[in-house]
């Protein structure tokens, strides 16, 4: 089977190709000029092009399905070379602003949500991805390919910076080597040049891996899927809490290097009558005391057979206002793409049902 060239950092490519500047040229072709095969890389010697063609694939993913939501977010289902499928979402955050002559004054802003694994081992009770079990880790190239494919499919110019969130399928810190390698490949100035500060890793709270990630000092942003403020409820929702309880997560976050201008995001999935009360909000404030935190409240997105319910909007707003009034930055995540099965795992599930 051919190797995936997107799996390689520029340094690794330099080691297999001589002279070293060829790696830079190839990076430019793939990430900045969007060529789809090696024969188009005209400044490479013909022999090298043939050699690359025989040994490497460029993009290992193909688009299997695509759903556009009313709010313009686009959900992709990609097929890997071995037939496994993963989801990613393009979220337009802000439209371009044009002046009176129709010239773009301010560019549109995008966030791309990527998957890190096929399935997930963590087994959270509310998550559809968990239901299918764990299949395998994605390689760094498969992670990079999600962003490359989505930028290309939407003609987003190579030098337009996008934000990346590792909030699709899978637990990124359970695949820390490939994920952090993808972070570095995204960083490369000869490639997509997406800085670590534009990338957010979301984790269910593997405390020892948070510590490991912190030691790497990549400059990446961190999001913690907290969802509950006491261990009993958190254990029910997220069995991983038995191994890494709330206190261990808070300790790991306190030791994590955070840019002075940035904050650690705490995601709080709100489920009706479970964790949407003011008592929980109070506990949350206590828990996050002393941390440069921001809280992102997420509406639980129900799916057929899910045991949890979407919270009432009024309870959501009450919770948010309570946190804000007590000095905690808190926003409600706009349920982008709710009409396109937005939460992770939901497009995959739908496609499997359609196909069966
Ligand atoms: N495994 C990582 C990243 C992927 S999950 C993590 O858990 O952080 C990304 C986010 O989607 C998590 O915060 C998760 O709690 C949320 N999520 C899972 N199922 C959901 C659902 N049905 N509705 C809304 N959000 C959901
Ligand atoms: Fe895995 Fe995240 Fe889903 Fe939990 S919420 S099962 S960690 S993908």
């Amino acid at each position: 089977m051919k190797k995936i060239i997107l799996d390689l950092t520029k340094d690794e490519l330099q080691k297999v190709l001589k002279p070293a500047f060829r790696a830079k040229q190839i990076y430019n072709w793939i990430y900045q000029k969007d060529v789809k095969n090696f024969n188009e890389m005209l400044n490479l010697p013909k022999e090298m092009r043939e050699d690359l063609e025989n040994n490497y694939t460029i993009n290992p993913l193909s688009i299997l399905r695509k759903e556009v939501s009313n709010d313009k977010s686009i959900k992709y289902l990609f097929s890997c070379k071995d037939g496994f499928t993963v989801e990613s979402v393009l979220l337009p955050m802000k439209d371009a602003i044009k002046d009176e002559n129709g010239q773009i004054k301010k560019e549109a802003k995008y966030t791309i949500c990527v998957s890190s694994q096929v399935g997930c081992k963590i087994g959270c009770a509310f998550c559809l991805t968990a239901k299918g079990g764990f299949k395998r880790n994605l390689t760094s190239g498969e992670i990079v390919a999600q962003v490359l494919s989505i930028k290309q499919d939407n003609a987003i110019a190579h030098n337009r910076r996008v934000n990346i969130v590792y909030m699709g399928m899978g637990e990124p810190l359970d695949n820390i080597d490939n994920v952090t390698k993808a972070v570095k490949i995204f960083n490369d100035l000869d490639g997509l040049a997406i800085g670590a500060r534009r990338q957010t890793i979301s984790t269910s709270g593997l405390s020892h891996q948070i510590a490991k990630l912190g030691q790497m000092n990549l400059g990446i942003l961190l999001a913690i899927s907290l969802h509950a403020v006491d261990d009993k409820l958190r254990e029910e929702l997220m069995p991983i809490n038995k191994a890494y309880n709330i206190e261990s997560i808070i300790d790991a976050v306190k030791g994590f290097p955070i840019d002075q201008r940035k904050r650690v995001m705490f995601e709080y999935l709100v489920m009706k009558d479970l964790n949407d009360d003011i008592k929980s909000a109070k506990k949350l404030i206590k828990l996050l005391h002393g941390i440069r935190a921001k809280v992102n409240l997420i509406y639980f997105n129900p799916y057929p057979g899910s045991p949890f319910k979407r919270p009432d909007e009024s309870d959501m707003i009450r919770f948010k206002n309570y946190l804000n009034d007590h000095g905690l930055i808190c926003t409600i995540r706009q349920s982008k793409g709710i009409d396109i099965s937005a939460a992770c795992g939901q497009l995959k599930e739908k496609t499997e049902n359609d196909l069966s």
Side-chain angles (χ1 to χ4, degrees):
M1 194 137 131
K2 287 187 185 178
K3 288 172 277 189
I4 299 168
I5 205 157
L6 298 187
D7 277 337
L8 302 181
T9 61
K10 203 171 62 201
D11 281 352
E12 287 173 337
L13 201 53
Q14 276 169 354
K15 291 201 180 97
V16 290
L17 288 180
K18 298 280 176 251
F21 68 86
R22 295 290 179 210
K24 179 181 158 82
Q25 291 176 320
I26 293 170
Y27 253 59
N28 288 160
W29 282 116
I30 294 176
Y31 296 108
Q32 303 190 346
K33 297 180 193 152
D34 292 328
V35 302
K36 303 279 167 41
N37 59 64
F38 294 102
N39 282 329
E40 294 172 58
M41 301 183 178
L42 294 174
N43 55 2
L44 303 187
K46 192 157 183 288
E47 255 168 51
M48 184 179 273
R49 280 186 261 155
E50 281 169 6
D51 206 38
L52 287 166
E53 192 70 50
N54 291 334
N55 291 296
Y56 289 96
T57 300
I58 296 185
N59 190 330
L61 300 181
S62 51
I63 298 173
L64 203 61
R65 184 165 174 165
K66 188 169 142 181
E67 282 189 8
V68 183
S69 144
N70 289 338
D71 65 13
K72 296 192 199 140
S73 51
I74 307 177
K75 184 140 190 166
Y76 287 85
L77 187 68
F78 288 108
S79 176
C80 303
K81 286 274 172 225
D82 56 8
F84 283 126
T85 56
V86 288
E87 297 177 5
S88 328
V89 192
L90 173 69
L91 302 155
M93 307 307 275
K94 274 188 190 143
D95 286 338
I97 302 173
K98 293 185 181 167
D99 64 16
E100 57 278 11
N101 303 318
Q103 298 289 333
I104 291 180
K105 262 198 330 200
K106 226 176 180 175
E107 298 282 0
K109 285 203 167 120
Y110 299 99
T111 294
I112 297 177
C113 173
V114 296
S115 291
S116 55
Q117 298 179 314
V118 183
C120 185
K121 288 180 206 159
I122 307 295
C124 301
F126 48 79
C127 175
L128 203 51
T129 299
K131 303 272 179 283
F134 173 76
K135 299 291 189 259
R136 69 168 173 85
N137 282 332
L138 291 184
T139 70
S140 20
E142 287 169 327
I143 297 169
V144 171
Q146 297 171 54
V147 172
L148 185 63
S149 305
I150 289 182
K151 282 189 83 175
Q152 289 172 346
D153 193 49
N154 293 279
I156 300 174
H158 77 85
N159 56 353
R160 290 288 320 290
R161 304 287 189 263
V162 295
N163 294 317
I164 297 173
V165 293
Y166 296 81
M167 293 184 185
M169 304 169 72
E171 167 51 55
L173 294 189
D174 187 35
N175 184 16
I176 191 167
D177 292 343
N178 293 345
V179 166
T180 50
K181 197 170 153 192
V183 171
K184 290 179 197 154
I185 297 172
F186 283 133
N187 269 193
D188 199 300
L189 293 178
D190 288 313
L192 292 172
I194 303 170
R197 276 172 187 75
R198 289 181 171 275
Q199 302 184 50
T200 304
I201 290 186
S202 173
T203 176
S204 55
L206 308 185
S207 312
H208 71 302
Q209 297 295 68
I210 295 174
K212 187 173 166 188
L213 183 69
Q215 280 155 13
M216 290 182 190
N217 223 341
L218 299 173
I220 191 127
L221 304 181
L222 186 65
I224 304 288
S225 288
L226 193 64
H227 309 333
V229 287
D230 61 74
D231 284 316
K232 190 172 167 294
L233 176 62
R234 197 164 190 274
E235 266 174 32
E236 281 168 32
L237 298 174
M238 309 173 77
I240 189 77
N241 197 72
K242 289 185 193 127
Y244 305 103
N245 65 13
I246 296 179
E247 192 186 347
S248 79
I249 297 173
I250 297 292
D251 283 349
V253 169
K254 284 184 175 158
F256 192 85
I258 305 160
D259 187 319
Q260 270 315 300
R261 290 155 299 179
K262 304 280 185 183
R263 292 176 184 274
V264 173
M265 187 203 282
F266 286 83
E267 296 164 276
Y268 191 86
L269 183 60
V270 187
M271 291 165 266
K272 189 174 165 61
D273 300 333
L274 206 62
N275 61 357
D276 56 356
D277 55 305
I278 291 299
K279 224 171 115 196
S280 300
K282 268 187 195 160
K283 271 198 180 169
L284 188 55
I285 292 168
K286 245 198 194 148
L287 212 53
L288 301 185
H289 183 75
I291 298 179
R292 284 181 58 80
K294 62 179 174 191
V295 174
N296 199 216
L297 301 181
I298 311 169
Y299 279 97
F300 174 71
N301 198 19
Y303 49 87
S306 67
F308 308 106
K309 291 197 201 82
R310 188 181 160 87
D312 293 336
E313 195 182 355
S314 56
D315 288 335
M316 203 66 172
I317 292 171
R318 190 177 57 143
F319 199 105
K320 171 186 179 289
N321 288 344
Y322 190 87
L323 296 187
N324 287 155
D325 291 347
H326 290 79
L328 203 52
I329 297 176
C330 173
T331 47
I332 297 177
R333 183 175 301 171
Q334 290 314 318
S335 281
K336 289 216 167 248
I338 195 159
D339 53 328
I340 56 160
S341 8
C344 69
Q346 297 190 359
L347 181 63
K348 181 182 165 81
E349 163 101 356
K350 196 160 144 189
T351 300
E352 278 160 10
N353 287 344
D354 288 357
L355 295 175
S356 62

